[in-house]
Amino acid sequence: APRYSYMIECGGGSAAALHEVQKYPSDYNGVVVGGHAAHLTRQIFGQLWLWIAAHPNGVTILPAAKLTVIHDAVLAKCDLLDGVKDGLLENPTRCTFDPKDIECTSGDGPSCLTTAQVEAARKIYAGPSNPRTSEKIWPPLFRGSELDWSFFIDSPSPIGIATSTLRDAILKDPAWDYRTTPIDYDRDVALADRSDIARVNASNPDISAYVRQGGKLILSGGWNNALVPAGAVLDYYNSVVARIGRDDTRRAVRLYMVPG
């Protein structure tokens, strides 16, 4: 038999890897997880939010050229926060760039944003929240990620896994259409959390049994990732610290955030 067994997964596979850590702690000695997409019933609302924010009337209002304008403005304000001008934000959470800083004084222009574009960018940076409780539903995109927004900016519709999961597995309504029925970020999210597909989520922070077995967990995320927001892995790491304590987390877990 092998002396050590390891599992390395990313994106959609992150749920499988974290299920191993959370439910079957003796299967692997080490697990590496990149691109935290392990909470499907919340992630789909984040993906829907991004597309709707950029397509308020079903048509994109953020052309690719404007993504470069926003990105350049972010770097101009925040690149030097880490002491090095290198086109990267070492820690985007420190960046306070507001899209309104580059709002056009009138009309539209190649190097500024219209009022509607400012509002769209602000929504993307804010992420979805419950309108009744203000609870954060899914992490937003960080400043510096603008060049990666094209995956939802250029798409004629939201990413398929989001619409199909909400329509078929959660609402169970084949007639549901995001274009005619607004998403309810209160009731729909609560229904998703209680649905029979919630079992696919791998967000349990209690990995104490895995730690006792001597298991090691490496988590990583890309600060600029727009498909799987960096905040998802940050939130999970922080929830682990809160649940099992800082000492056990330091003993067994490492988090690596990748600039750019």
Side-chain angles (χ1 to χ4, degrees), residues 144-176:
S145 66
E146 299 77 24
L147 301 184
D148 204 33
W149 293 3
S150 56
F151 93 87
F152 62 88
I153 295 292
D154 295 340
S155 174
S157 60
I159 190 168
I161 191 173
T163 52
S164 62
T165 300
L166 184 55
R167 180 188 64 230
D168 302 329
I170 297 170
L171 300 177
K172 294 181 170 60
D173 179 4
W176 177 82

Side-chain angles (χ1 to χ4, degrees), residues 75-91:
L75 294 181
K77 184 177 181 68
C78 300
D79 191 1
L80 277 171
L81 288 177
D82 57 12
V84 181
K85 189 174 180 61
D86 56 2
L88 297 173
L89 304 187
E90 191 73 22
N91 182 0

